[in-house]
Amino acid sequence: SKLIKKANTCLAICEEMKIEYSKRYKRKFLAFQNCIDVENLDIKSNFITRNNNDKFILTYTGSILSFAQFYSLIDITKAIKELFNEGYDIGFEIYTPLSLSKFYIKKLLLIDSSIKIYDAIKDDKQFFHVLNNSNGLLLPVNFDNYTKIFIKYSMPTKVPSYLISNTPIIAYGPIDVAQIKYAIKDEWAYVVHKRSIKALKKIILRLINDISHNKKLVKNAKKTFYKFHNAKDVRIDFQKVLCDSIKNNNAFNKS
């Protein structure tokens, strides 16, 4: 709090953090979210309708941690397995740092040995190829109180990539964490904000069948990306904040 009192400019990583910290520390905070330079990336420009003969692939990219998303990934795995057993041609692919996730991977494979688990993707071109060619992307958060307290104002770095991917998103997590609130507020994902495998299955089936709503969500996601996450614009705003901060610092104005 001493540093915040002395700071000329206070920054937060999302709107929810900005609002909370402004109240908590009685200082004005500005929100800057993770951004992507899309000009040099090969990203498909439109939503692609799935061929009925193709396997429907849901994808999760990112870390697997007991205090973040592991238990919601368990629910998702169970929901996908049940849908597969009911006759739906559906699969689940996970991209995560294998060396850090061995314990959690074993647990998930015990639930459904058919899921595909790969190492985290380090190449941008390959990363967006995976996102673009998935039928749905997953953004899970645990529902327990410890996770909610720990992750409440966190915004995953993958969110901008998901938003610009032209692939529909399912956000699964409690309503009082920033990333789920964000998805609800700007309507860029199917949201399940109560823990329920039954509700998850229902949303996955809607993702499979409701092409028009998928297109609406993808459109909203792109709109949100260009409003908050396009590096070309964010850099200009961020540089202006830095310049204004220096100008307003008395240490630079004594002369």
Side-chain angles (χ1 to χ4, degrees):
S1 61
K2 289 182 180 179
L3 287 174
I4 292 172
K5 287 179 182 178
K6 291 181 179 179
N8 291 324
T9 305
C10 298
L11 305 178
I13 62 170
C14 66
E15 283 295 312
E16 290 299 317
M17 181 182 282
K18 180 189 84 171
I19 293 167
E20 172 59 27
Y21 280 19
S22 295
K23 292 178 183 176
R24 184 183 300 181
Y25 298 108
K26 295 179 174 56
R27 288 289 311 271
K28 179 182 178 182
F29 275 74
L30 302 172
F32 281 93
Q33 303 198 66
N34 188 42
C35 60
I36 296 175
D37 186 351
V38 293
E39 292 183 359
N40 297 319
L41 292 176
D42 183 20
I43 303 172
K44 71 182 183 186
S45 58
N46 294 301
F47 171 75
I48 298 176
T49 303
R50 165 181 171 260
N51 188 318
N52 289 332
N53 296 323
D54 294 338
K55 193 180 190 72
F56 195 91
I57 300 297
L58 291 171
T59 300
Y60 171 74
T61 67
S63 59
I64 303 178
L65 300 166
S66 62
F67 50 83
Q69 65 289 101
F70 175 55
Y71 297 105
S72 282
L73 279 172
I74 287 175
D75 291 351
I76 290 168
T77 304
K78 289 179 178 178
I80 293 171
K81 181 179 181 179
E82 288 185 17
L83 288 170
F84 180 80
N85 290 339
E86 290 168 14
Y88 293 94
D89 191 12
I90 187 169
F92 187 19
E93 295 185 354
I94 295 174
Y95 295 80
T96 189
L98 296 179
S99 60
L100 302 176
S101 307
K102 291 179 181 178
F103 172 80
Y104 305 110
I105 289 169
K106 287 180 181 178
K107 294 289 186 181
L108 293 173
L109 287 171
L110 285 174
I111 297 168
D112 185 359
S113 60
S114 71
I115 64 176
K116 308 294 184 183
I117 302 179
Y118 306 98
D119 204 358
I121 305 169
K122 297 177 181 178
D123 177 73
D124 284 343
K125 185 176 181 180
Q126 184 188 356
F127 180 66
F128 279 100
H129 176 79
V130 167
L131 298 189
N132 293 165
N133 288 281
S134 298
N135 300 113
L137 304 174
L138 298 164
L139 187 67
V141 184
N142 294 341
F143 287 82
D144 62 281
N145 287 331
Y146 183 85
T147 296
K148 286 194 284 186
I149 292 169
F150 181 79
I151 213 166
K152 188 170 186 178
Y153 303 114
S154 175
M155 188 60 61
T157 56
K158 62 177 164 278
V159 166
S161 303
Y162 275 26
L163 292 175
I164 198 61
S165 69
N166 283 293
T167 301
I169 303 162
I170 293 177
Y172 180 56
I175 199 169
D176 48 353
V177 300
Q179 55 197 279
I180 303 299
K181 282 187 177 180
Y182 191 22
I184 293 172
K185 177 178 175 290
D186 290 287
E187 299 181 338
W188 47 256
Y190 291 101
V191 178
V192 181
H193 58 78
K194 292 185 179 180
R195 191 172 187 185
S196 168
I197 292 174
K198 182 179 179 181
L200 264 176
K201 289 171 65 179
K202 185 177 179 180
I203 284 295
I204 292 170
L205 287 176
R206 187 175 182 192
L207 176 60
I208 292 172
N209 296 308
D210 196 341
I211 304 301
S212 63
H213 195 65
N214 290 345
K215 289 181 179 179
K216 179 182 177 181
L217 291 177
V218 164
K219 183 178 178 181
N220 289 345
K222 289 176 70 175
K223 181 180 177 182
T224 302
F225 173 86
Y226 281 106
K227 186 175 181 181
F228 297 113
H229 302 280
N230 187 16
K232 182 179 179 181
D233 300 321
V234 173
R235 284 173 185 154
I236 293 171
D237 293 340
F238 189 69
Q239 288 167 3
K240 184 179 185 303
V241 167
L242 292 179
C243 291
D244 289 345
S245 180
I246 293 171
K247 288 177 183 177
N248 294 330
N249 188 333
N250 290 331
F252 288 86
N253 295 324
K254 286 182 178 178
S255 59

